[in-house]
Amino acid sequence: PQGATLSDLAEKINVSAANLVTVLFHLGEMATATQSLDAATFEILGEEIGWNIKIVSAEEEDRALLQQFDIDLDAEADEENLESRPPVVTVMGHVDHGKTRLLDTIRQTNVIKSEAGGITQRIGAYQIHVTLNDIDRRITFLDTPGHEAFTAMRARGAELTDVAILVVAADDGVMPQTVEAINHAQAANVPIVVAVNKIDVDGANPEKVRGQLTEFGLVPEEYGGDTMFVDISAKQGTNIDKLLEAVLLTADATLDLRADPTMSARGATVEARLDKGRGAVATVLVQQGTLRVGDSIVAGKAYGRVRALLDENGNNLDEATPSRPVAVLGLTSVPTAGDLFLVASDDRAARQIAEKREASERAAQLARRHKVVSLENLKEQ
Ligand code: GTP
Ligand code: MG
């Protein structure tokens, strides 16, 4: 892999990077500590200092670790087992433009009311059964925060999604986090449907929003572009059916919405927290396979046996199939949002994977803190 530097090596073998720069210099190679070097250079350097150096990325290292426990990250779904799955739709946009209100209207809930200051501070994940006109489908929705502080959550939301709904308030127009959301979606190669919201408000100007978004490559179909725009009022429930139709059309036209429910379950940790009564609670999105109560799972450095799976309404589920977001209870610690979760063969394997990840991270940290051993000392040891 590219990118390995003398600093990286110094960290691993616990010497100073400056020392390695000097050794390499004496071998006739000029390099800085942070410059990435090829495998051949590392080999020559390794011979000189008595180390057998093999370059693997952290990713490869983890892949190899998982292989020891019979988990194959590259396992592909069997074409024969592919079944259609609900689309994952992420609602994105500037703060207060009406993302949560839109989902409340679709779900007929009142999540806004429970939010501190009406500001979303976490990723909400819901699967709903939409029955509207001709539509009878399940859709998984992710609600993201619009506040500027939550860039990482927006990026994560964009990465997990099939289609993004970009909510823009018609009385406010394109704002900084509107632009940020577009960038995340485009970076993740996710098609965007624009919901021009708050058309019930005095001074709402949906046409202006269309004009503004054209500058970001979102050209409305009615202007000859290929982005669907739907004018809505989340508050009054106007055109919500049209919006959902546009989202499903976009999903069906551009994506292969299938997954293999028979595979070993895997997916993404959407968010995780420590609950006073229930311990670690991780909201995960199943992407392949079927997650079941009793499965031994590992997510980053967290592991445990699934004690319960809860849907968005707090109801117990026995299993979760692809595209289903569920709260997982039973982990012994809190994983990091974004961590991939995997099913291991048993509790012991899950624990060992987590512990090995923890150990290699700790080793790297320790080495960073004690960059004091010189090469001379090292050779003597
Ligand atoms: P963050 O999650 O903090 O980014 O905000 P948000 O985009 O989720 O906005 P939210 O849904 O919380 O709505 C913000 C305010 O706008 C609330 O008071 C909503 O009731 C109001 N609102 C949302 N949609 C509409 C609408 O269509 N019309 C009107 N008049 N008000 C709306
Ligand atoms: Mg919100």
Side-chain angles (χ1 to χ4, degrees), residues 221-243:
E221 283 185 330
E222 60 261 42
Y223 293 2
D226 53 13
T227 304
M228 290 204 239
F229 280 63
V230 184
D231 293 344
I232 65 164
S233 165
K235 186 179 177 184
Q236 299 184 341
T238 317
N239 290 341
I240 304 301
D241 49 349
K242 291 210 177 76
L243 176 64

Side-chain angles (χ1 to χ4, degrees), residues 283-317:
T283 302
V284 304
L285 179 69
V286 178
Q287 294 173 311
Q288 286 286 4
T290 301
L291 182 64
R292 296 187 175 84
V293 172
D295 281 347
S296 301
I297 64 169
V298 56
K301 288 166 285 161
Y303 67 93
R305 187 186 300 190
V306 178
R307 192 171 74 232
L309 295 171
L310 304 175
D311 71 7
E312 50 281 318
N313 302 313
N315 299 319
N316 277 287
L317 301 172

